[in-house]
Amino acid sequence: MQNTQKNRDDNNSSRSRSESPLSQEEQERRKKLPVYERTLEEKIMSKKIKAVEKDRLIKVFNALIQLEPKKIEQEMDGNKTTEGDNKLGKQKKKKSNEPKFSAKAIYEMMKKLNYTPGRDEVEKMIWEIDEDLDEQISWYEFQLMFKRCIKDISYLEPRGLFNFVQFLMYAYDKEAIKNTITVEDTLELLYVRCGRQNLDGEIFKIFGQDEKTADGQEKEITYSDYLIQMKKKDFNNWTELENKKKKYDPSKEQILNKKD
């Protein structure tokens, strides 16, 4: 356990603080730079997502920050009268104004979904996309995570939080989040992202061959069921990509030629 924590701390310390969001002024300045001078993160954030996806993404983010426990601002009492203490108090207050959610909010949402996470599962979801290492997720980090995953063609992006958020986007219904989803819940989002030609294949990857129960009712799946299907999908996509790479790997051809 201690070694695991030490490795995580080492990884955290090695991550660049320059990855954290720039000031608004600096962002505007960098938008004017030629595309080839922008960082990979800036290129990803410049990608547009469909309006219906962004609307649902905002709703899910708001639902999560509402589950975040209220933060109690510590008032500067009579024992803290130094100038340094006063400045620190102002800095803390300013920082807390930005809407963010932590692992606690995810745990609360998972309770609503009747899902019990594995050991360190939620903390890992936060750590994988926590750009400024404050153990909380901001709207900027939330968008960056989502855009990275939907644009990812290497299948190497961490998808723990993405799979969770995607389920919530499907499950969002009339200002509330259900604890199961049906085919109908997924249609709109899948259609705008994948198009009609890929719609049936994506539905199959989520719900399997049977879209209805034995008595003709629309099939409902839980987050636990959904997560199993997504892990299979991600693994199969990654395996298929790796097999393609091996098939066309020049170094492999050279080794075979030498054996001949």
Side-chain angles (χ1 to χ4, degrees):
M1 180 68 179
Q2 290 178 346
N3 290 335
T4 302
Q5 184 61 44
K6 183 179 185 301
N7 291 337
R8 180 171 295 181
D9 292 341
D10 291 341
N11 289 332
N12 281 348
S13 63
S14 66
R15 294 175 66 177
S16 171
R17 290 285 177 169
S18 63
E19 291 179 339
S20 60
L22 302 171
S23 66
Q24 188 65 34
E25 182 180 347
E26 180 63 13
Q27 287 182 49
E28 292 301 322
R29 185 189 73 80
R30 293 196 62 83
K31 283 181 183 178
K32 298 175 183 178
L33 293 175
V35 175
Y36 59 82
E37 289 190 21
R38 297 178 189 173
T39 65
L40 178 59
E41 182 177 309
E42 289 169 337
K43 291 176 184 175
I44 292 171
M45 284 300 290
S46 68
K47 301 291 185 182
K48 302 295 183 183
I49 58 177
K50 297 293 193 300
V52 64
E53 283 189 300
K54 187 168 184 179
D55 177 66
R56 201 70 64 86
L57 195 65
I58 291 171
K59 288 177 177 177
V60 169
F61 180 77
N62 286 336
L64 287 169
I65 62 174
Q66 287 171 10
L67 291 176
E68 187 67 21
K70 297 285 186 181
K71 294 182 180 177
I72 301 174
E73 291 290 343
Q74 292 185 353
E75 295 182 0
M76 306 305 294
D77 58 31
N79 295 327
K80 296 182 179 180
T81 57
T82 66
E83 183 179 354
D85 286 332
N86 286 326
K87 286 182 178 179
L88 180 61
K90 290 178 181 178
Q91 288 172 358
K92 286 182 177 178
K93 189 172 183 179
K94 183 178 180 181
K95 186 175 182 180
S96 67
N97 289 335
E98 183 182 7
K100 294 184 177 185
F101 66 87
S102 68
K104 293 178 181 178
I106 296 179
Y107 275 116
E108 288 301 313
M109 184 62 77
M110 285 182 171
K111 282 183 184 179
K112 293 177 180 290
L113 300 179
N114 298 322
Y115 176 78
T116 302
R119 183 181 180 185
D120 296 333
E121 181 179 348
V122 175
E123 286 76 8
K124 184 179 179 183
M125 290 164 66
I126 294 287
W127 180 84
E128 286 175 338
I129 67 166
D130 182 15
E131 297 294 329
D132 58 8
L133 308 179
D134 66 349
E135 299 182 353
Q136 299 178 94
I137 303 303
S138 66
W139 171 238
Y140 177 91
E141 292 166 330
F142 198 66
Q143 290 181 89
L144 182 60
M145 170 277 298
F146 187 77
K147 290 183 178 183
R148 274 177 171 162
C149 288
I150 64 174
K151 304 295 181 183
D152 178 39
I153 57 174
S154 68
Y155 304 107
L156 295 175
E157 283 291 339
R159 303 177 78 83
L161 187 61
F162 174 78
N163 287 331
F164 177 65
V165 168
Q166 186 68 87
F167 181 87
L168 297 179
M169 291 171 71
Y170 293 142
Y172 199 95
D173 179 50
K174 297 180 180 178
E175 306 304 318
I177 292 177
K178 305 182 298 179
N179 58 14
T180 61
I181 60 172
T182 64
V183 171
E184 186 177 354
D185 294 327
T186 67
L187 288 178
E188 185 177 25
L189 290 173
L190 289 176
Y191 180 81
V192 298
R193 184 185 304 165
C194 307
R196 179 64 189 90
Q197 67 276 17
N198 298 315
L199 185 60
D200 292 339
E202 291 300 314
I203 290 174
F204 175 79
K205 290 174 184 177
I206 297 174
F207 294 92
Q209 188 171 0
D210 300 321
E211 297 178 12
K212 294 185 181 294
T213 60
D215 59 358
Q217 298 296 315
E218 193 167 22
K219 185 177 181 180
E220 297 184 26
I221 63 171
T222 63
Y223 174 63
S224 181
D225 297 329
Y226 175 82
L227 195 56
I228 291 171
Q229 292 300 102
M230 289 303 98
K231 287 180 178 179
K232 287 181 182 178
K233 173 189 172 183
D234 294 339
F235 178 76
N236 289 338
N237 286 338
W238 179 82
T239 302
E240 183 180 351
L241 182 63
E242 288 300 300
N243 288 337
K244 286 181 180 178
K245 288 180 181 178
K246 291 176 183 178
K247 186 176 181 180
Y248 298 104
D249 188 351
S251 63
K252 297 284 184 182
E253 293 179 6
Q254 291 175 6
I255 293 172
L256 291 173
N257 291 334
K258 287 180 180 179
K259 288 182 178 179
D260 293 338

Short mmCIF file of all heavy atoms in Angstrom, two decimals, residues 183-227:
data_model
loop_
_atom_site.label_atom_id
_atom_site.label_comp_id
_atom_site.label_asym_id
_atom_site.label_seq_id
_atom_site.Cartn_x
_atom_site.Cartn_y
_atom_site.Cartn_z
N VAL A 183 -31.98 1.51 -24.71
CA VAL A 183 -31.52 1.86 -26.06
C VAL A 183 -31.98 3.25 -26.43
O VAL A 183 -31.22 4.06 -26.98
CB VAL A 183 -32.03 0.82 -27.09
CG1 VAL A 183 -31.73 1.29 -28.51
CG2 VAL A 183 -31.40 -0.54 -26.84
N GLU A 184 -33.22 3.55 -26.11
CA GLU A 184 -33.77 4.86 -26.46
C GLU A 184 -32.99 6.01 -25.82
O GLU A 184 -32.81 7.07 -26.41
CB GLU A 184 -35.24 4.94 -26.03
CG GLU A 184 -35.93 6.22 -26.48
CD GLU A 184 -37.40 6.26 -26.11
OE1 GLU A 184 -37.92 5.24 -25.61
OE2 GLU A 184 -38.04 7.30 -26.34
N ASP A 185 -32.49 5.78 -24.61
CA ASP A 185 -31.73 6.81 -23.91
C ASP A 185 -30.43 7.16 -24.64
O ASP A 185 -29.92 8.27 -24.51
CB ASP A 185 -31.37 6.35 -22.48
CG ASP A 185 -32.59 6.20 -21.61
OD1 ASP A 185 -33.55 6.97 -21.78
OD2 ASP A 185 -32.59 5.30 -20.73
N THR A 186 -29.89 6.20 -25.37
CA THR A 186 -28.58 6.40 -26.01
C THR A 186 -28.67 6.91 -27.44
O THR A 186 -27.67 7.38 -27.99
CB THR A 186 -27.79 5.07 -26.03
OG1 THR A 186 -28.44 4.13 -26.91
CG2 THR A 186 -27.69 4.47 -24.64
N LEU A 187 -29.83 6.80 -28.06
CA LEU A 187 -29.96 7.04 -29.49
C LEU A 187 -29.47 8.42 -29.94
O LEU A 187 -28.71 8.54 -30.90
CB LEU A 187 -31.42 6.84 -29.94
CG LEU A 187 -31.92 5.40 -29.96
CD1 LEU A 187 -33.39 5.34 -30.37
CD2 LEU A 187 -31.08 4.56 -30.90
N GLU A 188 -29.94 9.46 -29.26
CA GLU A 188 -29.61 10.82 -29.70
C GLU A 188 -28.11 11.09 -29.66
O GLU A 188 -27.52 11.57 -30.63
CB GLU A 188 -30.35 11.85 -28.84
CG GLU A 188 -30.14 13.27 -29.32
CD GLU A 188 -30.93 14.28 -28.50
OE1 GLU A 188 -31.24 13.99 -27.32
OE2 GLU A 188 -31.23 15.36 -29.03
N LEU A 189 -27.47 10.75 -28.55
CA LEU A 189 -26.05 11.01 -28.40
C LEU A 189 -25.21 10.15 -29.35
O LEU A 189 -24.24 10.63 -29.94
CB LEU A 189 -25.61 10.77 -26.96
CG LEU A 189 -26.11 11.78 -25.93
CD1 LEU A 189 -25.74 11.34 -24.52
CD2 LEU A 189 -25.56 13.16 -26.20
N LEU A 190 -25.59 8.89 -29.51
CA LEU A 190 -24.85 8.02 -30.42
C LEU A 190 -25.01 8.46 -31.86
O LEU A 190 -24.05 8.40 -32.66
CB LEU A 190 -25.32 6.57 -30.27
CG LEU A 190 -24.93 5.85 -28.98
CD1 LEU A 190 -25.54 4.45 -28.94
CD2 LEU A 190 -23.42 5.76 -28.84
N TYR A 191 -26.19 8.94 -32.20
CA TYR A 191 -26.45 9.36 -33.58
C TYR A 191 -25.62 10.57 -33.96
O TYR A 191 -25.00 10.60 -35.04
CB TYR A 191 -27.93 9.67 -33.77
CG TYR A 191 -28.29 10.11 -35.17
CD1 TYR A 191 -28.48 9.17 -36.18
CD2 TYR A 191 -28.41 11.46 -35.49
CE1 TYR A 191 -28.79 9.56 -37.48
CE2 TYR A 191 -28.72 11.87 -36.78
CZ TYR A 191 -28.90 10.91 -37.76
OH TYR A 191 -29.20 11.31 -39.05
N VAL A 192 -25.56 11.58 -33.09
CA VAL A 192 -24.82 12.79 -33.44
C VAL A 192 -23.31 12.55 -33.46
O VAL A 192 -22.57 13.24 -34.17
CB VAL A 192 -25.14 13.96 -32.47
CG1 VAL A 192 -26.60 14.33 -32.54
CG2 VAL A 192 -24.73 13.64 -31.04
N ARG A 193 -22.84 11.56 -32.72
CA ARG A 193 -21.40 11.29 -32.69
C ARG A 193 -20.98 10.28 -33.76
O ARG A 193 -19.95 10.46 -34.41
CB ARG A 193 -20.96 10.76 -31.33
CG ARG A 193 -19.43 10.57 -31.24
CD ARG A 193 -19.02 9.95 -29.94
NE ARG A 193 -19.49 10.73 -28.80
CZ ARG A 193 -19.52 10.27 -27.55
NH1 ARG A 193 -19.11 9.04 -27.29
NH2 ARG A 193 -19.95 11.03 -26.57
N CYS A 194 -21.75 9.25 -33.94
CA CYS A 194 -21.32 8.14 -34.81
C CYS A 194 -21.99 8.12 -36.18
O CYS A 194 -21.49 7.47 -37.10
CB CYS A 194 -21.59 6.80 -34.12
SG CYS A 194 -20.92 6.67 -32.46
N GLY A 195 -23.12 8.81 -36.31
CA GLY A 195 -23.84 8.78 -37.58
C GLY A 195 -24.74 7.56 -37.68
O GLY A 195 -24.59 6.59 -36.93
N ARG A 196 -25.66 7.60 -38.63
CA ARG A 196 -26.62 6.51 -38.79
C ARG A 196 -25.95 5.20 -39.16
O ARG A 196 -26.35 4.12 -38.73
CB ARG A 196 -27.67 6.88 -39.87
CG ARG A 196 -28.71 5.80 -40.13
CD ARG A 196 -29.55 5.56 -38.88
NE ARG A 196 -30.42 4.41 -39.00
CZ ARG A 196 -30.09 3.17 -38.64
NH1 ARG A 196 -28.87 2.91 -38.15
NH2 ARG A 196 -30.95 2.18 -38.74
N GLN A 197 -24.88 5.28 -39.98
CA GLN A 197 -24.25 4.06 -40.47
C GLN A 197 -23.59 3.23 -39.37
O GLN A 197 -23.44 2.01 -39.50
CB GLN A 197 -23.21 4.39 -41.56
CG GLN A 197 -21.99 5.16 -41.10
CD GLN A 197 -22.20 6.66 -41.03
OE1 GLN A 197 -23.34 7.14 -41.03
NE2 GLN A 197 -21.12 7.41 -40.98
N ASN A 198 -23.18 3.88 -38.28
CA ASN A 198 -22.51 3.16 -37.18
C ASN A 198 -23.40 2.99 -35.95
O ASN A 198 -22.95 2.43 -34.95
CB ASN A 198 -21.24 3.91 -36.78
CG ASN A 198 -20.24 4.00 -37.92
OD1 ASN A 198 -20.00 3.01 -38.61
ND2 ASN A 198 -19.66 5.17 -38.12
N LEU A 199 -24.63 3.45 -36.04
CA LEU A 199 -25.51 3.47 -34.87
C LEU A 199 -25.81 2.07 -34.34
O LEU A 199 -25.67 1.81 -33.14
CB LEU A 199 -26.81 4.19 -35.22
CG LEU A 199 -27.81 4.41 -34.07
CD1 LEU A 199 -27.18 5.25 -32.96
CD2 LEU A 199 -29.07 5.08 -34.59
N ASP A 200 -26.18 1.17 -35.21
CA ASP A 200 -26.55 -0.18 -34.77
C ASP A 200 -25.37 -0.89 -34.11
O ASP A 200 -25.53 -1.60 -33.11
CB ASP A 200 -27.05 -1.00 -35.95
CG ASP A 200 -28.39 -0.49 -36.48
OD1 ASP A 200 -29.09 0.19 -35.71
OD2 ASP A 200 -28.71 -0.78 -37.65
N GLY A 201 -24.17 -0.69 -34.69
CA GLY A 201 -22.99 -1.33 -34.12
C GLY A 201 -22.67 -0.83 -32.73
O GLY A 201 -22.29 -1.62 -31.85
N GLU A 202 -22.84 0.47 -32.51
CA GLU A 202 -22.57 1.05 -31.19
C GLU A 202 -23.60 0.58 -30.17
O GLU A 202 -23.26 0.32 -29.01
CB GLU A 202 -22.57 2.58 -31.28
CG GLU A 202 -21.40 3.16 -32.06
CD GLU A 202 -20.05 2.78 -31.45
OE1 GLU A 202 -19.91 2.89 -30.21
OE2 GLU A 202 -19.16 2.36 -32.19
N ILE A 203 -24.85 0.47 -30.59
CA ILE A 203 -25.90 -0.03 -29.69
C ILE A 203 -25.60 -1.47 -29.29
O ILE A 203 -25.75 -1.84 -28.12
CB ILE A 203 -27.28 0.07 -30.36
CG1 ILE A 203 -27.69 1.55 -30.49
CG2 ILE A 203 -28.34 -0.69 -29.55
CD1 ILE A 203 -28.96 1.76 -31.26
N PHE A 204 -25.17 -2.28 -30.25
CA PHE A 204 -24.83 -3.67 -29.97
C PHE A 204 -23.71 -3.77 -28.94
O PHE A 204 -23.74 -4.64 -28.05
CB PHE A 204 -24.41 -4.38 -31.26
CG PHE A 204 -23.94 -5.78 -31.05
CD1 PHE A 204 -24.84 -6.82 -30.88
CD2 PHE A 204 -22.58 -6.07 -31.00
CE1 PHE A 204 -24.41 -8.13 -30.67
CE2 PHE A 204 -22.13 -7.37 -30.79
CZ PHE A 204 -23.05 -8.40 -30.63
N LYS A 205 -22.71 -2.87 -29.03
CA LYS A 205 -21.58 -2.89 -28.10
C LYS A 205 -22.00 -2.57 -26.67
O LYS A 205 -21.36 -2.97 -25.71
CB LYS A 205 -20.50 -1.91 -28.56
CG LYS A 205 -19.79 -2.34 -29.84
CD LYS A 205 -18.84 -1.27 -30.33
CE LYS A 205 -18.20 -1.68 -31.66
NZ LYS A 205 -17.32 -0.62 -32.21
N ILE A 206 -23.09 -1.83 -26.54
CA ILE A 206 -23.58 -1.46 -25.20
C ILE A 206 -24.57 -2.49 -24.65
O ILE A 206 -24.46 -2.92 -23.50
CB ILE A 206 -24.25 -0.07 -25.22
CG1 ILE A 206 -23.22 1.01 -25.62
CG2 ILE A 206 -24.86 0.26 -23.86
CD1 ILE A 206 -23.83 2.39 -25.80
N PHE A 207 -25.52 -2.90 -25.50
CA PHE A 207 -26.64 -3.71 -25.00
C PHE A 207 -26.58 -5.18 -25.42
O PHE A 207 -27.36 -5.99 -24.94
CB PHE A 207 -27.97 -3.12 -25.50
CG PHE A 207 -28.27 -1.77 -24.92
CD1 PHE A 207 -27.87 -0.61 -25.57
CD2 PHE A 207 -28.93 -1.64 -23.71
CE1 PHE A 207 -28.14 0.64 -25.05
CE2 PHE A 207 -29.20 -0.39 -23.16
CZ PHE A 207 -28.80 0.75 -23.84
N GLY A 208 -25.66 -5.52 -26.32
CA GLY A 208 -25.60 -6.88 -26.79
C GLY A 208 -26.64 -7.14 -27.87
O GLY A 208 -27.26 -6.21 -28.41
N GLN A 209 -26.87 -8.40 -28.16
CA GLN A 209 -27.74 -8.76 -29.28
C GLN A 209 -29.21 -8.48 -29.00
O GLN A 209 -29.97 -8.10 -29.88
CB GLN A 209 -27.55 -10.24 -29.61
CG GLN A 209 -28.27 -10.68 -30.88
CD GLN A 209 -27.88 -12.08 -31.29
OE1 GLN A 209 -27.07 -12.71 -30.63
NE2 GLN A 209 -28.45 -12.57 -32.39
N ASP A 210 -29.63 -8.67 -27.76
CA ASP A 210 -31.05 -8.51 -27.42
C ASP A 210 -31.31 -7.12 -26.86
O ASP A 210 -30.79 -6.76 -25.80
CB ASP A 210 -31.47 -9.56 -26.40
CG ASP A 210 -31.28 -10.97 -26.92
OD1 ASP A 210 -31.56 -11.19 -28.11
OD2 ASP A 210 -30.84 -11.83 -26.14
N GLU A 211 -32.11 -6.33 -27.58
CA GLU A 211 -32.45 -4.99 -27.13
C GLU A 211 -33.73 -4.98 -26.29
O GLU A 211 -34.08 -3.97 -25.70
CB GLU A 211 -32.63 -4.05 -28.33
CG GLU A 211 -31.35 -3.88 -29.14
CD GLU A 211 -31.53 -2.99 -30.35
OE1 GLU A 211 -32.60 -2.33 -30.42
OE2 GLU A 211 -30.64 -2.94 -31.20
N LYS A 212 -34.43 -6.12 -26.27
CA LYS A 212 -35.66 -6.24 -25.48
C LYS A 212 -35.59 -7.49 -24.61
O LYS A 212 -34.85 -8.43 -24.89
CB LYS A 212 -36.89 -6.30 -26.40
CG LYS A 212 -37.15 -5.01 -27.17
CD LYS A 212 -38.43 -5.09 -27.95
CE LYS A 212 -38.69 -3.81 -28.74
NZ LYS A 212 -38.93 -2.66 -27.85
N THR A 213 -36.34 -7.47 -23.53
CA THR A 213 -36.39 -8.62 -22.63
C THR A 213 -37.30 -9.70 -23.22
O THR A 213 -37.96 -9.48 -24.25
CB THR A 213 -36.92 -8.20 -21.25
OG1 THR A 213 -38.25 -7.67 -21.41
CG2 THR A 213 -36.03 -7.13 -20.64
N ALA A 214 -37.35 -10.85 -22.57
CA ALA A 214 -38.15 -11.98 -23.07
C ALA A 214 -39.63 -11.63 -23.18
O ALA A 214 -40.34 -12.15 -24.04
CB ALA A 214 -37.96 -13.18 -22.16
N ASP A 215 -40.12 -10.73 -22.32
CA ASP A 215 -41.54 -10.36 -22.36
C ASP A 215 -41.80 -9.14 -23.24
O ASP A 215 -42.88 -8.56 -23.19
CB ASP A 215 -42.07 -10.12 -20.95
CG ASP A 215 -41.30 -9.02 -20.22
OD1 ASP A 215 -40.33 -8.48 -20.81
OD2 ASP A 215 -41.67 -8.70 -19.08
N GLY A 216 -40.80 -8.75 -24.03
CA GLY A 216 -41.01 -7.67 -24.99
C GLY A 216 -40.74 -6.27 -24.47
O GLY A 216 -40.90 -5.29 -25.20
N GLN A 217 -40.34 -6.15 -23.22
CA GLN A 217 -40.04 -4.84 -22.64
C GLN A 217 -38.66 -4.37 -23.08
O GLN A 217 -37.79 -5.18 -23.40
CB GLN A 217 -40.10 -4.91 -21.11
CG GLN A 217 -41.45 -5.29 -20.55
CD GLN A 217 -42.51 -4.26 -20.87
OE1 GLN A 217 -42.29 -3.05 -20.74
NE2 GLN A 217 -43.68 -4.73 -21.28
N GLU A 218 -38.50 -3.05 -23.12
CA GLU A 218 -37.20 -2.51 -23.53
C GLU A 218 -36.15 -2.86 -22.47
O GLU A 218 -36.36 -2.68 -21.28
CB GLU A 218 -37.29 -0.98 -23.69
CG GLU A 218 -36.09 -0.41 -24.40
CD GLU A 218 -36.30 1.03 -24.84
OE1 GLU A 218 -37.19 1.70 -24.25
OE2 GLU A 218 -35.59 1.49 -25.74
N LYS A 219 -35.03 -3.35 -22.92
CA LYS A 219 -33.96 -3.79 -22.03
C LYS A 219 -33.34 -2.61 -21.29
O LYS A 219 -33.05 -1.57 -21.88
CB LYS A 219 -32.88 -4.52 -22.84
CG LYS A 219 -31.77 -5.12 -22.02
CD LYS A 219 -30.80 -5.87 -22.93
CE LYS A 219 -29.67 -6.51 -22.16
NZ LYS A 219 -28.74 -7.24 -23.06
N GLU A 220 -33.13 -2.77 -19.99
CA GLU A 220 -32.46 -1.74 -19.18
C GLU A 220 -31.18 -2.33 -18.61
O GLU A 220 -31.17 -3.47 -18.18
CB GLU A 220 -33.37 -1.28 -18.03
CG GLU A 220 -34.65 -0.61 -18.49
CD GLU A 220 -35.47 -0.08 -17.31
OE1 GLU A 220 -34.87 0.21 -16.26
OE2 GLU A 220 -36.70 0.00 -17.45
N ILE A 221 -30.12 -1.53 -18.63
CA ILE A 221 -28.86 -2.01 -18.04
C ILE A 221 -28.40 -1.02 -16.98
O ILE A 221 -28.63 0.19 -17.08
CB ILE A 221 -27.76 -2.24 -19.09
CG1 ILE A 221 -27.37 -0.93 -19.79
CG2 ILE A 221 -28.19 -3.28 -20.10
CD1 ILE A 221 -26.15 -1.08 -20.67
N THR A 222 -27.72 -1.53 -15.98
CA THR A 222 -27.19 -0.72 -14.88
C THR A 222 -25.81 -0.19 -15.25
O THR A 222 -25.22 -0.59 -16.27
CB THR A 222 -27.08 -1.55 -13.60
OG1 THR A 222 -26.12 -2.61 -13.84
CG2 THR A 222 -28.42 -2.15 -13.22
N TYR A 223 -25.29 0.68 -14.40
CA TYR A 223 -23.93 1.18 -14.63
C TYR A 223 -22.91 0.06 -14.58
O TYR A 223 -21.96 0.02 -15.37
CB TYR A 223 -23.58 2.25 -13.60
CG TYR A 223 -22.14 2.71 -13.69
CD1 TYR A 223 -21.66 3.34 -14.83
CD2 TYR A 223 -21.24 2.47 -12.65
CE1 TYR A 223 -20.33 3.74 -14.94
CE2 TYR A 223 -19.91 2.87 -12.74
CZ TYR A 223 -19.47 3.51 -13.89
OH TYR A 223 -18.15 3.89 -13.99
N SER A 224 -23.11 -0.89 -13.68
CA SER A 224 -22.21 -2.03 -13.57
C SER A 224 -22.18 -2.83 -14.87
O SER A 224 -21.11 -3.21 -15.37
CB SER A 224 -22.64 -2.93 -12.40
OG SER A 224 -21.77 -4.02 -12.27
N ASP A 225 -23.37 -3.09 -15.44
CA ASP A 225 -23.46 -3.80 -16.73
C ASP A 225 -22.78 -2.99 -17.84
O ASP A 225 -22.05 -3.53 -18.67
CB ASP A 225 -24.92 -4.04 -17.11
CG ASP A 225 -25.64 -4.93 -16.12
OD1 ASP A 225 -24.98 -5.80 -15.52
OD2 ASP A 225 -26.86 -4.75 -15.94
N TYR A 226 -23.07 -1.71 -17.84
CA TYR A 226 -22.51 -0.82 -18.86
C TYR A 226 -20.99 -0.80 -18.80
O TYR A 226 -20.31 -0.85 -19.83
CB TYR A 226 -23.06 0.60 -18.65
CG TYR A 226 -22.47 1.64 -19.57
CD1 TYR A 226 -22.95 1.79 -20.88
CD2 TYR A 226 -21.45 2.48 -19.14
CE1 TYR A 226 -22.42 2.75 -21.72
CE2 TYR A 226 -20.91 3.44 -19.98
CZ TYR A 226 -21.40 3.57 -21.27
OH TYR A 226 -20.86 4.52 -22.10
N LEU A 227 -20.44 -0.75 -17.59
CA LEU A 227 -19.00 -0.68 -17.41
C LEU A 227 -18.33 -1.94 -17.94
O LEU A 227 -17.26 -1.87 -18.59
CB LEU A 227 -18.68 -0.49 -15.93
CG LEU A 227 -17.26 -0.06 -15.57
CD1 LEU A 227 -16.88 1.22 -16.28
CD2 LEU A 227 -17.12 0.09 -14.06
#
